[in-house]
Amino acid sequence: MQRSLTILYTSLLGICLGSSSSFPSNINIGGLFPTESHEYEVFRFALSHHQDIPKLVPQVDMVKMGNSFSMTYAFCSQFSKGVYAIIGLYDRKTVNMLMSFCGALHVCFVTPSFPIETANQFVIQLRPELQDALVGVIDHYGWTKFVYMYSSDSGLSVLQKVLDTAAERNWLVTSVNVETMTEASFLKVFQDLDKRKEGQIIIDCETERLTGILKKIVEQGKNAKSYHYILANLGFLDIDLTDLRKGGANITGFQLVNNSEPVVSRVVQQWLEFDNKDSKVPKSGLKYTGALTYDGVKVMSTAFQNLRKQRIDISRRGNAGECLANPPAPWGQGIDIQRALQQVRIDGLTGHIQFNEKGRRTNFTVSIMELAPSGPKKVGYWNEDEKYVTTASFMRGSNETYGLQNRTYIVTTILESPYVMLKKNHEQLVGNDKYEGYIVELAAEIAKHVGYQYKLKVVSDGKYGARDPETKMWNGMVGELVYGKADVAVAPLTITLVREEVIDFSKPFMSLGISIMIKKPTKSKPGVFSFLDPLAYEIWMCIVFAYIGVSVVLFLVSRFSPYEWHAEDYEEGGEPQTPTQASASNGVQQGQTQTQQNTNQQSQEQTNEFGIFNSLWFSLGAFMQQGCDISPRSLSGRIVGGVWWFFTLIIISSYTANLAAFLTVERMVSPIESAEDLAKQTEIAYGTLDAGSTKEFFRRSKIAVFEKMWSYMKAADPSVFVKTTDEGVMRVRKSKGKYAYLLESTMNEYIEQRKPCDTMKVGGNLDSKGYGIATPKGSPLRNPVNLAVLKLNEQGLLDKLKNKWWYDKGECGSGGGDSKDKTSALSLSNVAGVFYILIGGLGLAMLVALVEFCYKSRTESRRMKVSTARAAAASAAQAFHCSALDSGASAPYTELQSYGLYANNTVKI
């Protein structure tokens, strides 16, 4: 009995050993990976962690993605070697070929590549489908209008799901294929969003392409708070979001690998320590595609261990046949391996791993991430049962200035006097102490008001910032802000439209405009007749005509006015008596005989002192302010004299005042006085700073003069553009007046105050603009800096700083040779009023003289009982007698007697 039991035990043991020995101890698995790929390195790492029996033996072929021939050759090669399953990657060009081979030959293909819609059960898809989770996030944010950027490299299944949902819920979705999108179309997408004031964008791409798109977004300055991006990618932590975070953009994404799990952290640390000497690619962190590859190896190892425990014979004896045979010969044990792989239930680096009957991941959980000011934060999760669940522990934008005091900000600036200059002993100093100037002090004041630490950094290329028309890349300080190399720009940076589109500006801390700088012309030598310069030549001509006109008018009113006529007595053989000595009789003796009772016969004559020469002499004496021995007696004559004296007072005073200025200010003859003068000539070249706002102003201007200037500057040979302001100033100084430099007025005024004092600003400013402090789009520094600038302006500190660095430290005196200090001759418009007064006075005098003449004629006609016309004719004959051309002319007594007028009458004034 005991013997029979021993025989039975031995037989059963033999059966068991025979069954176990039928399962192979080494399992050949194939691998299809791109050369030096991250997934291949993780594949090697995973194999080193799974050495249990049955041992997985790799048969790897390096393939070229996108090449169907290479992939076909590698697949058939591995099938002929008798591999039990294959793990690897595919793309849109090779996925259909692989699906066909796997379905026909019953070879399982385990892949971390993007999931696809297929009925092929031999494809085990490690990557979860994202479309349901994405729709859940869209619902959570309440989006109804958004742009969907996708890449057909990763299939269109997610896009199709989103579009189907959009049709059901009346969403407005604009789909854009990033593979066919040009630079222009990329810009147009964001321009349309800006016009509609929308900024909701979904980006569905593989990590490599996604990184390139995010870089473009940063370059265009579209990483501001007004934009919200959802990254339809399962590796949120694999993406460098530093530049996006600086702009303050709202970024939401998905994370498949939970790095906070201890098991995951341990494996990641082992991965970083794993021997990577065979790879030329530097060791990097474990990406989510690498984690999927690691889990793929674990799934295959678990499946084959389960098959071994179930004693299922999967050995491949002999040649399994050609993969290209027609008809194909499927592998009989392939269905068993497929079932074993689908039945795996494990927890891996990517969470719970489970497959449905179609080989797709199910019962998985993805984390929902957002980009907080301090870095990526988990705000929720999504799974098939609970859908979207919020676990947010922070509120976006709740504290914009969070951490301002806890970091040192990079302040980019540019070496430009007097804004930023190196101190004389800068080699012995470090940090911000090496610099001095207006901007250095302004940056310190702003940092003090805002409350942050900063480090001054001079821009590497020495440019302010312009966009290259070919590469579309920004250079200078603007580029430093756009690409995240600096946090704020404190510099003489002009606020312009194109810059405002990619960065934010504060309120202007200095107002200015484009001005013209030329070499100071040589001083003109005074001429022989330079004393005439205080008055314009037309004034001198008007004075001459006024002198002659006043003299003639004085002569005429004296002729007409009877009060300018007076009697002079002549005794026989004696000298004429003066009017005060003559005893005149006031009545007119009528009907008396020729005999007179007085023994001393007297003859009386009417005289007028204002002949033409005396009138000229009176006017000249008054103009020279020397006076004259005669003066008018009549009201009309005194009016003429009064207005002439007033005229001479104003003219002489104006001449004297302007002459003093001409004697104290040296005059210079400038060949250019305005932009119009520059545009009209070609002898003097002119240009601007290259890659600056001044050049951009002329390039974009639609004003005819500026367009003409831009056409000249653009076509000039040699180039009229300079790389730095110092180069432009030196070119002005060395060109001997043949080059004019167009620059900001503030810099022009400063250089004019610097030795050797040989430049000057001419004309007015061509435009009006301002300097502002720049920050990246959406930066938390924007509002605090803006408030600091306004506060400094209200306190008067900005004006104080400008006076300190411009004028208090000037080297050329207060004048500086500016064209505004030149004294110009008085023009006729300056003294036209006094000429009007003179002309009005002369007219009034002539009118008064006419009234006096008429009144006297009427009075005499009544007294002499003659007609008024006859009396007027007699007076006119007396006034215009030929002897009146002599000074003190007398009217012939006999002629007056014939009219019966003034016969024995003397006029007493």
Side-chain angles (χ1 to χ4, degrees):
M1 182 65 180
Q2 185 177 4
R3 183 178 181 182
S4 57
L5 289 174
T6 302
I7 295 173
L8 179 62
Y9 175 77
T10 304
S11 301
L12 291 173
L13 181 62
I15 294 172
C16 292
L17 290 175
S19 299
S20 299
S21 61
S22 65
F23 196 90
S25 58
N26 292 330
I27 302 295
N28 291 332
I29 60 172
L32 300 176
F33 297 100
T35 305
E36 298 179 354
S37 64
H38 174 73
E39 291 76 15
Y40 170 65
E41 295 301 324
V42 176
F43 175 67
R44 294 177 51 246
F45 168 69
L47 289 176
S48 66
H49 278 213
H50 297 85
Q51 298 292 332
D52 299 334
I53 296 176
K55 183 178 180 181
L56 302 180
V57 179
Q59 303 288 335
V60 179
D61 282 319
M62 295 300 177
V63 296
K64 188 175 182 180
M65 300 302 294
N67 190 328
S68 298
F69 177 79
S70 173
M71 188 69 75
T72 301
Y73 179 82
F75 185 92
C76 291
S77 173
Q78 294 192 357
F79 182 75
S80 63
K81 293 177 183 178
V83 297
Y84 290 86
I86 301 175
I87 184 172
L89 304 175
Y90 54 70
D91 59 10
R92 64 172 180 170
K93 294 182 179 180
T94 57
V95 59
N96 292 329
M97 180 272 298
L98 286 174
M99 298 303 104
S100 176
F101 277 124
C102 292
L105 302 177
H106 290 187
V107 175
C108 290
F109 188 80
V110 181
T111 178
S113 295
F114 57 88
I116 57 173
E117 291 288 342
T118 178
N120 193 332
Q121 58 185 354
F122 291 94
V123 178
I124 307 299
Q125 302 181 24
L126 295 167
R127 187 185 302 189
E129 293 180 328
L130 191 59
Q131 49 263 45
D132 292 332
L134 179 59
V135 170
V137 172
I138 295 174
D139 282 334
H140 171 71
Y141 288 115
W143 287 11
T144 57
K145 296 179 181 180
F146 53 89
V147 173
Y148 191 97
M149 295 183 177
Y150 67 95
S151 170
S152 55
D153 279 343
S154 56
L156 305 176
S157 58
V158 180
L159 173 62
Q160 188 61 50
K161 175 67 175 180
V162 171
L163 293 179
D164 292 343
T165 307
E168 296 174 2
R169 305 183 185 181
N170 294 322
W171 292 351
L172 182 60
V173 181
T174 304
S175 59
V176 180
N177 189 343
V178 296
E179 295 177 21
T180 60
M181 187 168 56
T182 62
E183 187 74 22
S185 60
F186 183 82
L187 290 175
K188 188 177 185 305
V189 169
F190 285 96
Q191 288 174 356
D192 293 341
L193 287 173
D194 292 340
K195 289 180 181 178
R196 299 195 304 263
K197 295 183 178 180
E198 299 173 1
Q200 299 167 344
I201 303 170
I202 298 174
I203 306 178
D204 177 14
C205 298
E206 293 296 296
T207 304
E208 291 75 13
R209 190 180 294 273
L210 178 61
T211 302
I213 294 175
L214 295 179
K215 183 178 179 181
K216 281 186 177 181
I217 289 173
V218 173
E219 290 173 0
Q220 299 300 328
K222 305 304 179 182
N223 55 332
K225 288 183 179 179
S226 57
Y227 292 96
H228 189 172
Y229 298 93
I230 296 179
L231 308 182
N233 184 286
L234 289 169
F236 189 80
L237 299 180
D238 299 340
I239 307 168
D240 185 7
L241 301 173
T242 305
D243 294 339
L244 285 169
R245 183 175 61 184
K246 289 182 178 179
N250 301 295
I251 311 294
T252 303
F254 304 89
Q255 179 65 23
L256 185 60
V257 180
N258 187 359
N259 292 327
S260 62
E261 290 288 339
V263 176
V264 177
S265 301
R266 184 171 59 253
V267 173
V268 171
Q269 185 61 35
Q270 293 172 351
W271 155 251
L272 293 175
E273 297 172 356
F274 177 65
D275 182 16
N276 198 36
K277 62 182 180 180
D278 295 335
S279 176
K280 298 179 182 179
V281 180
K283 179 71 72 174
S284 61
L286 186 63
K287 300 178 182 179
Y288 87 97
T289 54
L292 289 171
T293 305
Y294 184 93
D295 286 346
V297 173
K298 187 174 183 180
V299 167
M300 296 174 74
S301 177
T302 303
F304 286 112
Q305 288 177 10
N306 291 338
L307 288 172
R308 184 173 183 274
K309 292 177 181 178
Q310 296 172 13
R311 298 186 181 90
I312 297 176
D313 184 14
I314 58 169
S315 59
R316 300 188 64 175
R317 300 178 182 84
N319 193 349
E322 295 293 335
C323 68
L324 298 178
N326 190 12
W331 176 34
Q333 289 76 20
I335 191 68
D336 295 326
I337 297 177
Q338 179 262 329
R339 289 173 181 168
L341 289 172
Q342 286 187 358
Q343 292 172 1
V344 170
R345 305 285 187 274
I346 60 173
D347 290 326
L349 300 182
T350 59
H352 180 72
I353 300 174
Q354 182 178 344
F355 303 97
N356 61 16
E357 66 280 0
K358 295 182 179 180
R360 300 174 191 170
R361 282 282 292 268
T362 185
N363 197 20
F364 60 89
T365 300
V366 294
S367 300
I368 311 300
M369 311 291 291
E370 279 194 3
L371 187 60
S374 57
K377 297 290 183 181
K378 181 179 178 180
V379 296
Y381 64 87
W382 184 94
N383 58 39
E384 294 176 343
D385 297 329
E386 301 176 89
K387 305 301 180 184
Y388 184 88
V389 178
T390 301
T391 61
S393 58
F394 80 98
M395 295 297 294
R396 174 173 294 278
S398 59
N399 187 6
E400 292 184 353
T401 59
Y402 172 78
L404 288 182
Q405 296 83 5
N406 298 326
R407 58 168 292 194
T408 299
Y409 286 87
I410 302 299
V411 176
T412 181
T413 188
I414 190 170
L415 284 176
E416 195 81 79
S417 301
Y419 300 101
V420 179
M421 301 173 288
L422 288 170
K423 293 182 179 178
K424 294 181 179 179
N425 59 338
H426 67 274
E427 296 178 351
Q428 304 172 5
L429 303 173
V430 295
N432 300 340
D433 296 333
K434 296 189 297 182
Y435 306 102
E436 64 176 355
Y438 177 92
I439 289 297
V440 176
E441 295 191 18
L442 178 62
E445 290 291 336
I446 290 175
K448 183 172 69 175
H449 281 76
V450 176
Y452 65 83
Q453 302 294 323
Y454 72 98
K455 177 182 178 182
L456 285 175
K457 176 186 175 185
V458 177
V459 61
S460 57
D461 59 6
K463 296 183 179 180
Y464 286 89
R467 189 178 180 187
D468 190 286
E470 296 180 358
T471 64
K472 307 298 181 182
M473 299 287 288
W474 285 91
N475 57 22
M477 290 180 287
V478 178
E480 299 257 320
L481 295 176
V482 170
Y483 305 130
K485 298 180 181 179
D487 301 298
V488 61
V490 185
L493 190 62
T494 307
I495 302 172
T496 63
L497 173 63
V498 291
R499 290 174 178 170
E500 188 74 47
E501 291 177 347
V502 295
I503 57 178
D504 288 330
F505 279 102
S506 70
K507 293 292 189 295
F509 62 83
M510 185 179 292
S511 298
L512 62 145
I514 298 174
S515 62
I516 304 172
M517 173 191 287
I518 65 170
K519 186 174 177 62
K520 191 178 293 184
T522 56
K523 300 178 179 64
S524 59
K525 296 181 180 180
V528 177
F529 296 99
S530 60
F531 65 89
L532 298 176
D533 292 341
L535 300 181
Y537 290 115
E538 61 266 22
I539 293 184
W540 287 115
M541 296 302 298
C542 290
I543 290 174
V544 172
F545 289 126
Y547 166 69
I548 297 174
V550 167
S551 300
V552 172
V553 171
L554 182 60
F555 167 73
L556 293 176
V557 299
S558 298
R559 295 292 96 186
F560 276 93
S561 177
Y563 300 107
E564 291 294 345
W565 296 93
H566 57 87
E568 291 188 355
D569 296 336
Y570 290 86
E571 294 189 3
E572 292 180 356
E575 295 296 329
Q577 297 176 340
T578 63
T580 58
Q581 294 173 336
S583 52
S585 119
N586 295 327
V588 178
Q589 300 177 358
Q590 298 181 1
Q592 294 183 354
T593 61
Q594 295 293 331
T595 61
Q596 298 183 358
Q597 297 177 357
N598 196 341
T599 56
N600 296 325
Q601 186 173 350
Q602 294 179 337
S603 62
Q604 294 181 342
E605 294 183 353
Q606 296 290 325
T607 61
N608 192 322
E609 294 178 338
F610 281 94
I612 188 64
F613 291 114
N614 274 356
S615 298
L616 291 169
W617 176 248
F618 173 82
S619 300
L620 181 62
F623 184 76
M624 296 299 179
Q625 295 185 328
Q626 298 302 314
C628 185
D629 55 350
I630 58 175
S631 59
R633 302 182 180 209
S634 64
L635 177 61
S636 57
R638 289 176 178 176
I639 291 176
V640 173
V643 296
W644 178 245
W645 290 339
F646 178 77
F647 173 83
T648 57
L649 172 67
I650 300 300
I651 291 295
I652 296 302
S653 300
S654 301
Y655 174 82
T656 304
N658 219 31
L659 179 63
F662 266 77
L663 294 176
T664 55
V665 178
E666 296 174 308
R667 304 182 67 200
M668 294 178 291
V669 179
S670 174
I672 297 296
E673 291 290 347
S674 64
E676 289 78 6
D677 293 344
L678 276 179
K680 288 187 294 187
Q681 55 82 49
T682 56
E683 182 180 356
I684 299 177
Y686 49 91
T688 70
L689 180 70
D690 198 7
S693 62
T694 303
K695 180 180 178 182
E696 191 70 15
F697 167 79
F698 283 99
R699 189 177 70 84
R700 290 177 172 267
S701 178
K702 300 301 180 183
I703 300 175
V705 174
F706 300 151
E707 284 183 329
K708 184 177 180 181
M709 294 175 68
W710 171 247
S711 298
Y712 164 79
M713 290 187 286
K714 185 171 58 173
D717 187 23
S719 175
V720 293
F721 300 109
V722 294
K723 295 182 179 179
T724 63
T725 300
D726 290 339
E727 181 183 341
V729 174
M730 291 303 299
R731 189 166 177 178
V732 169
R733 288 173 171 166
K734 293 181 180 180
S735 62
K736 299 181 180 180
K738 299 300 181 184
Y739 181 78
Y741 183 46
L742 299 161
L743 74 166
E744 280 82 2
S745 57
T746 50
M747 182 60 66
N748 200 347
E749 293 166 1
Y750 172 76
I751 295 172
E752 190 175 344
Q753 294 290 323
R754 302 291 101 185
K755 290 182 179 180
C757 307
D758 57 352
T759 64
M760 63 182 292
K761 173 188 173 185
V762 294
N765 294 341
L766 307 187
D767 68 341
S768 178
K769 52 191 174 183
Y771 288 151
I773 297 174
T775 55
K777 280 286 187 181
S779 171
L781 285 174
R782 179 187 178 183
N783 289 335
V785 167
N786 197 33
L787 294 175
V789 171
L790 293 175
K791 186 174 183 179
L792 293 176
N793 187 36
E794 292 176 357
Q795 293 175 347
L797 186 61
L798 297 180
D799 293 332
K800 182 180 178 181
L801 286 177
K802 184 174 182 181
N803 289 331
K804 173 182 177 180
W805 290 100
W806 264 258
Y807 305 111
D808 296 348
K809 296 178 180 289
E811 300 172 350
C812 299
S814 58
D818 199 341
S819 58
K820 65 184 178 184
D821 291 328
K822 289 173 28 177
T823 304
S824 58
L826 287 179
S827 64
L828 182 59
S829 61
N830 298 123
V831 292
V834 70
F835 281 94
Y836 297 150
I837 293 175
L838 178 61
I839 294 172
L842 296 180
L844 178 62
M846 295 182 69
L847 179 62
V848 171
L850 180 61
V851 171
E852 289 178 337
F853 176 78
C854 295
Y855 174 77
K856 190 65 176 178
S857 298
R858 183 175 181 80
T859 303
E860 290 298 324
S861 66
R862 289 179 178 177
R863 187 171 60 82
M864 298 301 297
K865 296 182 179 180
V866 296
S867 65
T868 303
R870 184 177 179 186
S875 298
Q878 179 190 7
F880 293 101
H881 194 271
C882 59
S883 62
L885 294 175
D886 297 323
S887 178
S890 62
Y893 181 74
T894 55
E895 183 175 350
L896 293 174
Q897 276 185 329
S898 65
Y899 289 100
L901 297 172
Y902 307 109
N904 293 307
N905 182 43
T906 58
V907 180
K908 183 177 181 180
I909 304 299

